[in-house]
Amino acid sequence: MRRLLLILGLAAILALGAGCEFLGWDFYPPELQNVDRSLDMAALVLGQTGYELDHVMGSAVLRADPSLPYHLLVLCSLKNYGGNAVFFLDPLTLAFEAWVANGNAGLPLAVVYDTWAIPTGAGFCAGYLRIDAVNLVDSTTPWAQANGSVGVILQPSLANNLVLRSTTGNVGLDICSPAWAILGSESKAVITGNYKLDLVAAASASSSTGIRLLLRDTDTMQGRLVEFANPEDLVSAISPGPSDIESSGLASKFISFGHDLKDLWLTDKEIIAYEDYDKGKLVRYSLENGSELDSRSFAGEDAQGLSFSSTTSRWYYWDKARKKFLSLRTWW
Amino acid sequence: MPRPTFAAVLLAILLPGLPLVAEDKALILDISGPPGGKEAQAYSRILAEAIQRGLALKSLDSIIQVAETSPSPEEILALAKDAGARWVFGAASSFDGTRMAWTGTAWDGGDASVFGYDSYASRPGPAALPLIEDSAHRLLANLDRLARLDKATEAPGRSLFFTSQDEDARIGLGSGKVLPSAKLVMDGTEVELGTIAGGELHTPSLPLKPGQALTITVQKEGFWPLVTKVKVKDKGAIPLPKLMPLTAKSWGVDYGLGRLLGAEFLFRAYTLPDQVFLELATAPYISYDFMPGSYPVFHQEYGMSIFFTPFFRPEAKFRLVLGTGAQFYFTAMTAPNVDSRFAGDIVLAPIQVGLEYHGPKLALFLRARGLYSLGLSGGALDRDWLMVGPRELPSLSLGALFK
């Protein structure tokens, strides 16, 4: 018995030293250890809208302007033809702030230039829906341009919205004015002949003018990170001229990473991938060179609207099995 | 001539020393068994009377006395002394519903040694009467042989020397069957040889040859009876295996996959010793992966299961254990802000399989469990079979039981 206790003690010390995730293996989802807050989203949605929550389509922590606070936007689909609604929550406490719906809310959830946005000239976009970033209300009549796109990138020098779409190995680009007039549309293959590359995320770097595109090869299940020094280089790379984005020479970074990738997210500081591996896991990759930083087990079967925020060091999702919207501490 | 089922194996012996009793007097014990076995009682009486008639033909006086159980050697000495008789005969019978078995035993009242023995069985009824008469004649033939022996020159019989770690265990001659209740049912041929004292037993002198195989029984209160074969040795001790204690309750602890930072404590109450038991278990443990952003999550499991041990003898060292049960898992999160801090899950454990190695005081076991969570509201588990970790390992544990 004494020997058994000694072995167990040594195992525990080794595990502590190595940060072994396996000691947390049990019947429970490991993310239970990371839960920071939980919200009865179904009750909140029913109470505010009068409609039952059907599912959560997406979430994102966004700030329209440095002078404004961050909000957690949660896009909810409502039952009984209630349409979609955007709920605004405090990203740290999950306290309810506001909700907006005009029947046209959709993806992506993004920050956009918007002529009608007062006073900053920028607001939130949820598909067709434009939202005043100060008052958190429906700001104007809807526009179709950003709906269903991968994302919207602001082109600060020209105050244009760059709307990016994924089209069978190509990156589609619409340049829209703040009044959402289409100034130009282009499409360009990422790599000529590769029709399996899907653009899954696009974001501006917070600490530079850089633009990052995240792609997934549905054939090899690998990821690609393409980085441009500024929005203008992105526009030039997609404009007529070079045969594909890779050969344009305008991308400052063009690297592969990961394997068995099922889904991808881009934050200011890292790439996060959901990998269909074992029972499923979340893996963090470096924006510098695509190397794996760390990982944690995550089944993810019941997670809807998953998103990650480097700003709040939280990740968020709607747990459809337990009917809770969860805020979780990041594992890094 | 009917063939005896257990031949008249024990022959006459002579022992030194004269008893202070009448050589021409005998005591016949009608070992009628416990009240209620009326049919068996009638046949033991018939055998006793047949012995009495035979003794009368040999000009020996005898009296019949009723006894409930087969006497111990000490009781033989006392009975012979009280009756003033040199010879003591026992007439016993048993009835199993279809067959009647009877046993005649002859003791020398001077030292309680057995000098004659006969056993036979038949269907009950008038046809059994001449067979009983034959048994009485064979038994008394030993008395004739004893009379012919030259006490001065004839070598005495052989005393068996048993050694055992089970103090106070009773050693008997004869075969029997151990019931699931741990009771020993003899086949009616038993002869008590004595009790282990100081780790050994020297039996009275018996008419045995070296190398001869004997079936003996070893019994002790609180232990599984042992029916085993021994070989008569020319000299030296016959070591008896240690008896396996009856397990009526035990407690244990186990450790394994699913609760690496904790352990399970269990208590077993046996409804049939070592075979069917109810197990109550509780397992406190912590989920904690020591990663940044993680807070420990406490769990406490409560379980109740019923198990049985098929295929193996209940006192066997190796056992297969099968069981089924249900559990309740309580969960408490320790993160400072989480507002739904507690959860409770009901989990079925329909399949539980264990391999166990049992010693007298300690058992080690390896157990696999199939666990199914009902996924009810207020729980932290989905409705699914429960597997451990990302590799989806089954619930396996190693443990020890203390009896």
Side-chain angles (χ1 to χ4, degrees), chain A residues 1 8 12 15-16 19-30 32-39 277-280 294-297 301-302 314 319 321-322 324 329-332, chain B residues 255 257-261 285-295 297 299 301 329 331 333 335 337-340 345 371 379-382 386-393 395 402:
Chain A
M1 182 59 81
L8 291 178
L16 283 167
C20 285
E21 189 189 358
F22 81 91
L23 276 177
W25 287 4
D26 52 35
F27 305 126
Y28 291 87
L32 211 58
Q33 301 167 44
N34 298 91
V35 173
D36 181 54
R37 308 264 181 169
S38 69
L39 173 68
Y277 184 76
D278 286 340
K279 203 178 175 181
D294 49 45
S295 68
R296 76 124 55 251
S297 303
E301 295 156 349
D302 298 319
R314 298 286 185 276
D319 185 335
R322 276 158 283 279
K324 295 277 185 189
R329 292 173 296 277
T330 52
W331 63 91
W332 59 87
Chain B
Y255 177 77
L257 293 175
R259 51 177 96 86
L260 291 172
L261 292 176
Y285 66 99
I286 300 169
S287 296
Y288 190 44
D289 55 18
F290 300 94
M291 293 175 78
S294 292
Y295 276 84
V297 178
H299 303 284
E301 296 180 7
Y329 296 178
T331 296
M333 288 185 268
N337 299 319
V338 64
D339 47 3
S340 181
D345 290 277
L371 301 168
L381 295 168
D382 293 337
L386 296 183
M387 306 302 273
V388 179
R391 299 286 164 86
E392 303 209 52
L393 303 168
S395 167
F402 306 95

Side-chain angles (χ1 to χ4, degrees), chain B residues 213-246:
Chain B
L214 294 175
T215 302
I216 64 162
T217 61
V218 186
Q219 297 181 72
K220 184 178 176 181
E221 191 69 32
F223 290 78
W224 281 99
L226 176 69
V227 180
T228 186
K229 283 191 186 305
V230 296
K231 274 199 173 178
V232 176
K233 287 185 171 179
D234 198 18
K235 57 182 178 181
I238 301 171
L240 294 174
K242 190 165 173 57
L243 293 177
M244 182 66 85
L246 286 173

